[in-house]
Amino acid sequence: MRNAPLGCTESDRNRPKFTMPPPLDLREFQDKLSTHFRPFQRSFQFWVRAADIYSGYKSFQLRVIFEKDAQKQEAMWERQHEIAADKIYNMCSDLGGFFLKIAQIIGKPDLAPAAWVKRLVTLCDQAPRTPYHVVRVVLEKELGRNVDELFERFDADPIGSASIAQVHRARLKGDKDDVVVKDLMMTDIRNLQAFALYMQKTDIKFDLYSVTKEMEKQIGYEFDFKREADAMERIRRFLYENNKKAPVKVPRVIRDMVTRRVLVMEYIDGTPILKLEDEISKRGINPGGKMATAAKRNILKSLTLAYGQMILKSGFFHADPHPGNILICKGSEASTTKIASLKHSLHDVALLDYGQVKDLPDSLRLGYAKLVLAIADNDPIRASESYRELGIDTLSKCEDEQKEMLKLAQTMFDTKMPPGVTMLQPFSEGSSIKKISVQAFPEELFSVLRTVHLLRGLSVGLGINYSCAEQWRPIAEEALYLAGRLKGGLRSLFVRRGSKDETT
């Protein structure tokens, strides 16, 4: 037997050794604790702020009825909207993620109060930014090489930062053209779904929950840049193959630099559409004059044509045309033309960010084509039939149901505003949605609804009132004809029957 060390017996030697625990890393403990409780913190913040905004409006409604002067009432409403706008802005900015998408959706001049639009429009492409050192770690992990080895130049400051990703301008080694690099961030939606359920049972008779479920599905897709790259290439190919000149420009993907978390694509130099009037003014042209109006019509014509073809002919379409995703291209004749030819030049439009796309089944694509024709022809009977075919379940609360059904279809699925109206109020007491309750709404159709509303908001912002349904009539007829579902043959492919080649 081996001798035990001095002062150590055999039993001591066989006893398990006691080791001191590693020192507690307080910072790591705090981080883990914060991560664990973060969902609860976000939920608490959302519900406190949402309840504050909602209760503010409900209590205001009780106060304002005691004011009989119409002008004073209007001033009171403006002040209330400004107070709410600040609260909504702060909530969306602080919580980030999905709530920035909500700001983009509701901050439209045709739908939201002016105070909301003015406050929320800045969130379209300027969200809280991810630090460069974090972006660099993600890039090097995903692409497998050092950033300095891959890029001749990489701008640490992002071009823009949206709800799901932020974008950096860079130049690849040995290349003369710039590219953009997208890197992922985070999202949240569950609390909004619960709030939607509450609202549709109390104030708004519309299937909001199905809408938020489709939002959840679409936002989830944005976490896969491989899917976005495939979507971008598919839409780019479709638009270039179906037109002599594609109505909008789609960035080219750098295929060997795409992973689930990183996307490298062609850089397109352009002016954000929100700054279009500033660009026109810089050229010494009146933004409200005929020349500028013609340029704006060209822009809307290009965008609307692209969307009509994508939705009705292909069924696969870009589903996020908010102003932050639309550029007026530079480097084309638009940036070099003389004033006299401006109205023919400012129409080269680029459509960015393909994280949200939708692939409609043929049943919905063709059902929507029928609804487009009903709206374009002011046909209430076909509008009602189309609603049933699309699976939009309604409950009438009025005598003239078909007339209100057509008005509801126009409000939901057309860009044209009624004469003299600059802001739709779909949930006001006299609106069609109060007279015809939408009890069930197909989730997959929400992307079409949202796209039309964003196009309408864009048209209102540019001061151009036009009907996308009228412009889409020939495309809808062609889609139905090719599917063998159009009686009487093609009418509008050769004779436009009231629709115009340009927006009016």
Side-chain angles (χ1 to χ4, degrees), residues 11-26:
S11 60
D12 290 335
R13 193 170 63 232
N14 294 331
R15 186 178 298 145
K17 293 183 179 180
F18 175 77
T19 56
M20 290 291 291
L24 178 65
D25 188 334
L26 187 60

Side-chain angles (χ1 to χ4, degrees), residues 296 349 451:
K296 294 172 186 177
V349 184
T451 296

Side-chain angles (χ1 to χ4, degrees), residues 111-122:
L111 185 60
W116 288 24
V117 177
K118 184 178 179 181
R119 196 75 175 94
L120 299 180
V121 71
T122 56

Side-chain angles (χ1 to χ4, degrees), residues 270-458:
T271 300
I273 198 165
L274 288 174
K275 298 180 180 178
L276 177 62
E277 292 202 352
D278 293 340
E279 181 71 17
I280 291 174
S281 297
K282 286 179 184 177
R283 303 184 192 188
I285 299 165
N286 177 13
K290 291 182 179 179
M291 209 171 289
T293 299
K296 294 172 186 177
R297 281 204 186 99
N298 282 334
I299 291 167
L300 285 173
K301 175 186 174 183
S302 297
L303 279 169
T304 309
L305 175 60
Y307 271 100
Q309 291 181 347
M310 285 189 285
I311 294 171
L312 297 168
K313 291 184 70 172
S314 167
F316 188 79
F317 64 98
H318 177 289
D320 196 18
H322 72 77
N325 288 340
I326 300 169
L327 287 182
I328 310 305
C329 300
K330 293 181 180 177
S332 63
E333 59 175 330
S335 62
T336 57
T337 185
K338 294 180 179 180
I339 291 177
S341 61
L342 176 69
K343 66 179 180 179
H344 300 297
S345 64
L346 263 178
H347 63 271
D348 287 345
V349 184
L351 195 56
L352 312 178
D353 194 348
Y354 291 75
Q356 287 195 55
V357 293
K358 188 64 186 176
D359 197 356
L360 287 178
D362 281 346
S363 58
L364 282 183
R365 177 176 66 88
L366 296 173
Y368 183 63
K370 287 181 65 176
L371 182 60
V372 166
L373 293 183
I375 295 171
D377 293 335
N378 286 306
D379 189 331
I381 296 176
R382 275 195 294 166
S384 299
E385 292 173 352
S386 299
Y387 262 43
R388 286 194 294 271
E389 182 174 337
L390 288 167
I392 301 175
D393 186 17
T394 59
L395 178 64
S396 175
K397 300 178 181 179
C398 61
E399 294 180 2
D400 198 347
E401 179 180 353
Q402 288 187 339
K403 179 182 176 182
E404 290 298 334
M405 189 74 79
L406 177 61
K407 286 176 63 178
L408 181 62
Q410 292 168 334
T411 300
M412 294 176 68
F413 291 108
D414 196 11
T415 53
K416 192 170 186 178
M417 303 287 283
V421 176
T422 57
M423 183 181 75
L424 288 178
Q425 295 180 324
F427 303 118
S428 64
E429 288 303 319
S431 68
S432 297
I433 208 167
K434 288 287 186 178
K435 299 174 183 178
I436 298 180
S437 175
V438 180
Q439 296 184 305
F441 189 84
E443 292 179 15
E444 292 184 303
L445 204 58
F446 167 68
S447 293
V448 176
L449 175 68
R450 180 171 184 258
T451 296
V452 171
H453 278 235
L454 286 169
L455 288 173
R456 181 198 288 152
L458 187 63

Side-chain angles (χ1 to χ4, degrees), residues 134-402:
V134 176
V135 173
R136 183 172 182 131
V137 168
V138 172
L139 288 174
E140 293 180 348
K141 180 181 178 181
E142 291 294 312
L143 299 177
R145 293 174 64 186
N146 190 285
V147 165
D148 296 330
E149 295 175 1
L150 291 167
F151 298 100
E152 191 77 39
R153 187 190 76 247
F154 190 98
D155 293 350
D157 292 329
I159 300 171
S161 190
S163 56
I164 305 300
Q166 67 183 33
V167 181
H168 294 260
R169 185 175 179 177
R171 179 168 294 183
L172 296 173
K173 286 279 188 180
D175 206 339
K176 62 180 182 179
D177 295 322
D178 285 354
V179 297
V180 293
V181 183
K182 289 183 71 173
D183 170 59
L184 282 177
M185 291 167 65
M186 298 184 69
T187 191
D188 192 334
I189 191 175
R190 301 295 182 186
N191 290 311
L192 189 70
Q193 290 177 338
F195 188 66
L197 277 173
Y198 173 77
M199 290 297 290
Q200 75 182 46
K201 290 179 179 179
T202 55
D203 287 79
I204 299 175
K205 303 305 178 183
F206 190 92
D207 185 8
L208 293 174
Y209 182 72
S210 292
V211 169
T212 59
K213 287 295 290 181
E214 176 65 12
M215 284 182 179
E216 179 183 18
K217 188 191 304 179
Q218 287 296 311
I219 296 299
Y221 291 149
E222 294 197 45
F223 282 96
D224 186 354
F225 281 152
K226 286 185 177 180
R227 183 182 183 276
E228 179 173 348
D230 291 342
M232 196 181 310
E233 289 184 328
R234 179 175 170 180
I235 290 174
R236 188 173 192 271
R237 185 168 58 251
F238 168 78
L239 290 175
Y240 280 71
E241 288 176 354
N242 281 270
N243 298 277
K244 290 183 179 179
K245 179 185 177 184
V248 297
K249 187 169 184 178
V250 179
R252 178 176 52 85
V253 175
I254 312 298
R255 251 301 168 194
D256 59 350
M257 300 191 74
V258 178
T259 73
R260 283 181 61 87
R261 297 187 65 190
V262 172
L263 170 59
V264 181
M265 73 193 92
E266 170 191 11
Y267 172 76
I268 297 177
D269 193 14
T271 300
I273 198 165
L274 288 174
K275 298 180 180 178
L276 177 62
E277 292 202 352
D278 293 340
E279 181 71 17
I280 291 174
S281 297
K282 286 179 184 177
R283 303 184 192 188
I285 299 165
N286 177 13
K290 291 182 179 179
M291 209 171 289
T293 299
K296 294 172 186 177
R297 281 204 186 99
N298 282 334
I299 291 167
L300 285 173
K301 175 186 174 183
S302 297
L303 279 169
T304 309
L305 175 60
Y307 271 100
Q309 291 181 347
M310 285 189 285
I311 294 171
L312 297 168
K313 291 184 70 172
S314 167
F316 188 79
F317 64 98
H318 177 289
D320 196 18
H322 72 77
N325 288 340
I326 300 169
L327 287 182
I328 310 305
C329 300
K330 293 181 180 177
S332 63
E333 59 175 330
S335 62
T336 57
T337 185
K338 294 180 179 180
I339 291 177
S341 61
L342 176 69
K343 66 179 180 179
H344 300 297
S345 64
L346 263 178
H347 63 271
D348 287 345
V349 184
L351 195 56
L352 312 178
D353 194 348
Y354 291 75
Q356 287 195 55
V357 293
K358 188 64 186 176
D359 197 356
L360 287 178
D362 281 346
S363 58
L364 282 183
R365 177 176 66 88
L366 296 173
Y368 183 63
K370 287 181 65 176
L371 182 60
V372 166
L373 293 183
I375 295 171
D377 293 335
N378 286 306
D379 189 331
I381 296 176
R382 275 195 294 166
S384 299
E385 292 173 352
S386 299
Y387 262 43
R388 286 194 294 271
E389 182 174 337
L390 288 167
I392 301 175
D393 186 17
T394 59
L395 178 64
S396 175
K397 300 178 181 179
C398 61
E399 294 180 2
D400 198 347
E401 179 180 353
Q402 288 187 339

